Amino acid sequence: MTASDTRPAESGTAAANGRQFPPGFLWGAATASYQIEGAAAEDGRTPSIWDTFSRTPGKVFEGHTGDVAADHYHRFRDDVRLMADLGLGAYRFSVSWSRVQPTGRGPAVERGLDFYRALTDELLEHGIQPVVTLYHWDLPQDLEDAGGWPARDTADRFGEYARIVADALGDRVQMWTTLNEPWCSAFLGYGSGVHAPGRTDPVAALRAAHHLNLAHGRAAEALRSVLPARAQLSITLNLHQVRALTESAADLDAARRIDAVGNRVFTGPLLDGAYPQDLITDTQRLTDWSFVQDGDLAAIGRHPLDALGVNYYTPTLVSAGAAPEGPRSDGHGASEHSPWPGANDVTFHQPPGERTAMGWSVDPTGLYDLLARVSREHPGLPLLITENGAAYEDAVGPDGTVDDPERIAYLHGHLDAVLKAVESGVDVRGYFLWSLMDNFEWSYGYSKRFGAVYVDYDTQVRIPKSSAHWYAGVVRTGSLPVEPTTA
């Protein structure tokens, strides 16, 4: 089953226990290599920027690292059986670049590729479709030392790496994602510095954004030259659902500016063939965009997407005017440096209502509005929800179970938003829960738990939470219960 195998059902389709998702709707869960694999120095793997960043004092909660994480590298067969028990139809995982190509250049380390070959085979043996993400933020440190994403050469190296992985897995993997959330890689990694590599240069962040776009183009070219025609090509974006605090012209313009550098910096070249002129105008005091060379835009969009991956957790609320002292309420971590080049004078607001353990507002209407907008602006483009989920303060109860009704309510509300979008004609073809299991949550270390499966990091015991059992029921029936309960 691939993204192209499904079509939206007619509005109002019902099942005895709730509203029905379209036939063939793809149900899965997602993870990322550095967050779960561990084995950080085994079988030829060398440090990525996240290995270096997590060892930099003060960058990650209590100095946590991904050295062991959830030990998925050694426990993947058990983890795949767990996925099968939950009835998942697909598993979205990322490949560690430095495990496959330690310096980001040259030949592959076969031992690294062998892990992904074995994982893919195990998934297929259990009837689970592998969905490969080539890059989920763990750039080989050698490439960062050579300039990182602000350097044009990194995009070329990424194309070569994509070809290596496609050669190894292309006969078994049909769904391919080039990049996960390039906005975070560019603007949190090189703008605000709250993500690896921790640099704080707005021009470097804009250069990184362009070279990530170019890297997608280079990878798409490599994938299309190697993979069978049936292979599906995608990219995953964490599109911001930006809302103005008021309908004033100033607040609406603030929302426009955040939309430009938060969304259209990627959707413009990827889907429309150009960077938006207002983004270039907003940032002209920083750069003349001369790093965009002749032929780049054609290379970025040469190979059309078979699906766009959409990651969504919470909406973004903004107004005009200088932000108050202290960390901005943009949900992307505390820093004295902004991840929003050209929009430093925009104020972010915490929306009212319930929040997750990340402090993020719970608002499924943002997901519906986002999907509707993408569908309206890019008709005919299939969509996949490639990440959606929430962190809560989970704990093992006296009976050895983990009850997380807040997460069930969160998932119910957001799946309801997805279903409403489908019923209104939006071509959404699948949903991947973030995350399959608790993991290393970047700068928050192991202090935040997003998983449907609880991980005891001392023993590596896995305990499916009540949300995992609830989600398994949705997957099994293909329908959304009327109420978000386990009963």
Side-chain angles (χ1 to χ4, degrees), residues 17-47:
N17 58 344
R19 290 151 55 227
Q20 197 76 16
F21 281 84
F25 193 83
L26 189 61
W27 295 102
T31 64
S33 52
Y34 189 71
Q35 293 185 271
I36 68 165
E37 284 182 3
E42 292 187 32
D43 293 336
R45 184 186 180 277
T46 57

Side-chain angles (χ1 to χ4, degrees), residues 49 97 135 139 143-144 147-152 154-155 158 179 185 190 199 204 207-209 211-212 215:
I49 55 175
W97 191 346
Y135 186 76
L139 185 73
L143 288 184
E144 173 59 26
W149 286 113
R152 184 179 182 87
T154 305
F158 186 68
L179 304 169
S185 297
Y190 296 93
R199 291 161 62 178
R207 291 176 63 91
H211 294 143
L212 283 155

Side-chain angles (χ1 to χ4, degrees), residues 239 295 402 425 462:
L239 297 174
V402 180
R462 275 82 157 128

Side-chain angles (χ1 to χ4, degrees), residues 52-130:
T52 302
F53 188 78
S54 64
R55 284 171 167 73
T56 303
K59 295 298 185 181
V60 174
F61 177 79
E62 294 187 352
H64 293 172
T65 75
D67 285 0
V68 177
D71 198 30
H72 178 70
Y73 190 79
H74 299 112
R75 301 169 185 268
F76 73 92
R77 297 187 193 279
D78 290 338
D79 290 339
V80 172
R81 284 193 289 272
L82 190 154
M83 298 177 214
D85 289 343
L86 295 177
L88 298 185
Y91 174 53
R92 176 177 176 252
F93 63 92
S94 74
V95 175
S96 167
W97 191 346
S98 63
R99 192 182 296 286
V100 168
Q101 200 182 23
T103 65
R105 298 180 176 84
V109 172
E110 290 300 322
R111 290 170 296 172
L113 284 173
D114 284 345
F115 168 71
Y116 298 106
R117 291 184 180 109
L119 172 60
T120 297
D121 289 344
E122 192 74 15
L123 290 165
L124 292 172
E125 287 176 13
H126 286 80
I128 301 170
Q129 180 176 338

